[in-house]
Amino acid sequence: MNRSYISPPSLSNEKSLKTLVENRTVYNLNHCELNIFETYKDATLVPLQFNDLVVTSMLRGKKIMHLFDDPCFEYLPGETVVIPSNVEMKIDFPEATKSNPTQCLALAIDKQKITATLHFLNERYPKEGNNQFWHLDYHNYYFYNNIELATTINKLVKECMGTSITKDILADLTLQELLIRIIQTQTAKSIDDGVITDSNAPITQVIEYIRLNLRENISLKNLSEKACMSTTSFYRFFKRELGMTPIEFVIKEKIKCAKKLLKNPTIQINEVCHLSGFEDSNYFIRLFKKHEGITPKQYQLLYVN
């Protein structure tokens, strides 16, 4: 699956390292604290805990995360984990060496800032449907970065590490954007995973319609009518919920369908194109390569025994 990467800052000078395991550099702002952790040797079950909610993103190398009572998982660049306050994580560094260090950022965000941002969003940009509110989903804590989320984290890291006299103000605005991007990413991941919290929510009905009609000519007008909204209101609603346009989501679902079909090594590319709702095979191949980095045929060959 596609993931977007965050630009890693330069590694610390070897002489400035205080420890080879989770060496920490801290940047303090009014409403957040940016921590950059670097590890230069293998270690297991290293504990780490923050008093505030923390957004962590891998920058270099690999970790194994032990979190909550869930099975441990590999944590790699292009991925983000959101951890509630006062939750202990334990971390393995199976491959860390001086020549191959791990680097990870951990952004601790002030609770009042989170509460104020969610209140502002619910007040000024209320969600459609009954009992629908902007909120962070602490069960949905691990996800791949999309380009919008990675861009926002990059911007925030730049502000935190900068020397501008306005950096606290700019960081505050970017923190609001980051919280919105995280909620949108969590919503999109819940939909991908088939974990829908409210089957009556307008977004749920539209998603179901798209998935049942992938081979049809799905237009913005169709979807707006399904949601009982004007096209302008629906477009704004959809992008606010998922951080992408309705048509971008339709294409994403078609590509997902194509990937499932391509796991069959005997199916023809033209047939995959048709069954996943694309009319033109050249367009399908170009779009698939843009999203996945390889052609449909190359993807199919990954599943040949």
Side-chain angles (χ1 to χ4, degrees):
M1 187 174 173
N2 261 1
R3 66 190 85 187
S4 297
Y5 297 92
I6 296 161
S7 304
S10 299
L11 291 165
S12 299
N13 184 294
E14 190 175 345
K15 290 179 182 175
S16 70
L17 295 174
K18 302 173 193 72
T19 174
L20 294 179
V21 177
E22 291 290 68
N23 184 75
R24 181 181 184 185
T25 307
V26 184
Y27 303 87
N28 281 301
L29 280 82
N30 282 347
H31 295 118
C32 68
E33 175 190 87
L34 173 65
N35 301 268
I36 305 290
F37 290 99
E38 298 166 11
T39 294
Y40 293 82
K41 70 173 188 177
D42 63 291
T44 56
L45 298 177
V46 177
L48 186 61
Q49 184 172 321
F50 289 86
N51 294 328
D52 292 310
L53 173 132
V54 65
V55 178
T56 77
S57 289
M58 279 299 285
L59 304 171
R60 306 174 198 254
K62 178 174 90 172
K63 293 180 180 180
I64 306 293
M65 293 285 283
H66 305 263
L67 195 53
F68 306 112
D69 293 322
D70 294 346
C72 63
F73 59 93
E74 281 192 357
Y75 192 19
L76 300 166
E79 300 172 359
T80 287
V81 171
V82 178
I83 301 157
S85 59
N86 300 310
V87 169
E88 185 179 68
M89 53 190 122
K90 290 191 174 169
I91 309 164
D92 301 339
F93 301 89
E95 298 174 2
T97 62
K98 283 192 176 181
S99 60
N100 181 39
T102 68
Q103 188 184 45
C104 180
L105 69 83
L107 186 78
I109 307 174
D110 180 65
K111 184 181 178 181
Q112 289 181 327
K113 180 66 181 175
I114 297 169
T115 303
T117 301
L118 294 177
H119 178 75
F120 171 78
L121 290 169
N122 285 314
E123 189 79 21
R124 295 288 297 274
Y125 302 98
K127 287 179 173 270
E128 301 286 338
N130 296 327
N131 299 315
Q132 299 295 308
F133 301 101
W134 289 91
H135 70 281
L136 288 161
D137 180 358
Y138 295 118
H139 298 290
N140 196 352
Y141 57 82
Y142 167 58
F143 39 84
Y144 291 169
N145 300 336
N146 55 38
I147 193 162
E148 292 81 12
L149 181 59
T151 301
T152 306
I153 295 174
N154 271 324
K155 194 173 8 173
L156 192 50
V157 170
K158 186 180 174 188
E159 294 303 339
C160 289
M161 296 177 73
T163 55
S164 163
I165 57 169
T166 58
K167 74 177 187 175
D168 273 302
I169 300 166
L170 294 171
D172 266 9
L173 293 170
T174 314
L175 277 174
Q176 289 185 323
E177 183 182 349
L178 176 63
L179 291 168
I180 292 168
R181 297 293 185 200
I182 287 171
I183 293 167
Q184 289 172 334
T185 305
Q186 287 178 328
T187 304
K189 184 172 184 291
S190 292
I191 287 166
D192 271 352
D193 294 346
V195 183
I196 309 245
T197 52
D198 184 356
S199 58
N200 295 317
I203 193 75
T204 307
Q205 295 166 43
V206 171
I207 299 302
E208 285 176 356
Y209 175 80
I210 290 170
R211 287 177 171 165
L212 290 170
N213 294 277
L214 273 184
R215 287 164 64 183
E216 306 302 319
N217 184 18
I218 301 172
S219 68
L220 187 59
K221 187 170 182 295
N222 295 144
L223 299 176
S224 307
E225 287 170 356
K226 196 72 189 165
C228 302
M229 297 181 195
S230 70
T231 51
T232 307
S233 296
F234 172 73
Y235 183 92
R236 280 201 305 262
F237 151 73
F238 196 98
K239 188 152 191 190
R240 190 173 65 218
E241 287 285 316
L242 299 185
M244 67 183 91
T245 69
I247 300 309
E248 283 170 343
F249 181 82
V250 170
I251 289 170
K252 185 167 169 279
E253 285 296 304
K254 288 184 177 187
I255 295 289
K256 194 162 91 175
C257 174
K259 284 164 69 177
K260 282 183 185 172
L261 293 166
L262 287 165
K263 289 178 182 179
N264 174 357
T266 62
I267 197 168
Q268 297 295 310
I269 301 301
N270 283 346
E271 195 179 353
V272 173
C273 170
H274 171 69
L275 290 173
S276 51
F278 292 99
E279 292 180 8
D280 178 78
S281 58
N282 289 327
Y283 172 70
F284 164 61
I285 292 165
R286 280 200 313 273
L287 200 62
F288 192 97
K289 188 170 183 182
K290 180 183 173 185
H291 277 254
E292 299 300 318
I294 54 177
T295 66
K297 191 66 188 172
Q298 288 168 327
Y299 187 89
Q300 187 179 38
L301 289 172
L302 298 175
Y303 293 92
V304 174
N305 291 327

